[in-house]
Amino acid sequence: MTFRSRLPALLGIAHPILQGGMSWASSCAALPLAVSRAGALGVIAAGPMRPDDLVAAIRAVRAGTDNPFAVNVPLYNKRSAEFLDIAEAERVPVLIASQGGPKALPRFRAIGTKWLHVVASPLHAAKAEAAGVDAVIAVGGEAGGHPAPDEVSAMVLVRAVVKAVSIPVIGAGGVADGAGIAAMFALGAEGAQLGTRFLMTREATVHAAYKDRVRAAGIGDTTLVGRGGLPIRQLRNAFSAQVDASERAGMPAAELDALIKSRSLKDAALDGDVDWGKVEAGQSAGLIDDLPGAEELVHRLVAETEAARMRLVA
Ligand SMILES: Cc1cc2nc3c(=O)[nH]c(=O)nc-3n(C[C@H](O)[C@H](O)[C@H](O)COP(=O)(O)O)c2cc1C
């Protein structure tokens, strides 16, 4: 890929493409290993993992490739301190922190681990830069999982974050192919992170019914559940319709919160309950209609990005 980027030198990767850390979908070794083998950055999502399983996954990725990989730790998670201890003890090459401030950064600096920080606003990005993080990942409102709470689109957010910091910015939200990656570079980002696209690979560990729903979805088939708090972007289903109806009917906030928490990503990802579970996916679900292997996908993304670049200059 011929776009200018500091990320290959910073992280030791061939291609400035990140597989987004995705609870359940990449809480394993298979997907991150395949992505890192192909020269992009594979990311183990620690969120729902048992500590022993996280250690085993880190060791399995390391056994399968000499290329760098990352562990994603959502800092609000009740086990985040334990996950950070494991990442430090295992000396992971890259740590990706989301949903919180970069407090544990000095420990990782000391062992040479690179720290990437997920941000949802230019202010948050500037604070992360001042704290000394190596790069920020700006995730726009189109994204699956927890997008920017104020719903600002990647088109606007990534541009604003690029203007706010001088460290490398990785753009995320709505990117499903090389055209989307090239768009992030056009905005001034030096790399792109893709979640939903990598969820739709053979290695991603979500139920087949989940992948079928994402494949069938159009670009307008996602919705935000839990606006006003920590919203989740998921496919519209019976559960999201129940939440919408309850909101419209004026359900008291505490009851609504309990309703939203009564269903989980696990229900959909592990048990295949795609009607009542949280089928987290981004708007880019509507751009995706196949299920390649993750290595093949990385190679395809690299070729598509180059083709998009050529289209712009020819
Ligand atoms: C099913 C699913 C689970 C996710 N889990 C996490 C997570 O555990 N930690 C995190 O930082 N981001 C999580 N994300 C967000 C992704 O890392 C990524 O930023 C996002 O998917 C990018 O937007 P896209 O889906 O439009 O490509 C998740 C996304 C999805 C679709």
Side-chain angles (χ1 to χ4, degrees), residues 20-23 72 98 139 143-145 173-174 193-196 199 210 280 284:
M22 288 175 288
S23 292
N72 166 240
S98 51
V139 181
Q193 168 165 292
L194 290 70
T196 304
L199 182 129
Y210 195 127
E280 296 185 16
S284 68

Side-chain angles (χ1 to χ4, degrees), residues 211-297:
K211 293 182 185 178
D212 287 346
R213 277 287 167 97
V214 176
R215 191 203 298 252
I219 56 173
D221 288 341
T222 68
T223 186
L224 280 182
V225 167
R227 277 198 172 90
L230 251 192
I232 289 167
R233 184 172 293 285
Q234 65 156 78
L235 297 187
R236 291 179 203 281
N237 62 3
F239 171 62
S240 71
Q242 185 191 23
V243 173
D244 281 351
S246 306
E247 257 167 0
R248 274 198 308 274
M251 183 183 264
E255 253 178 78
L256 191 63
D257 194 48
L259 173 64
I260 290 168
K261 289 189 178 132
S262 70
R263 306 289 177 165
S264 67
L265 170 60
K266 182 183 176 207
D267 294 339
L270 198 69
D271 305 332
D273 185 352
V274 289
D275 290 320
W276 291 99
K278 290 174 176 158
V279 188
E280 296 185 16
Q283 293 175 347
S284 68
L287 296 173
I288 299 166
D289 56 13
D290 63 355
L291 196 69
E295 281 199 63
E296 176 198 336
L297 175 61

Side-chain angles (χ1 to χ4, degrees), residues 6 10 25 31 54 66 68 80 92 103 119 122 125 132 136 140 146 167 182 189 194 237 277 279 299 306:
R6 287 171 282 178
L10 177 70
L31 176 56
L54 176 58
D66 291 334
S80 64
V92 300
K103 276 200 292 263
V119 299
V136 289
H146 290 293
I167 52 176
L194 290 70
N237 62 3
V279 188
H299 297 313
E306 184 56 14

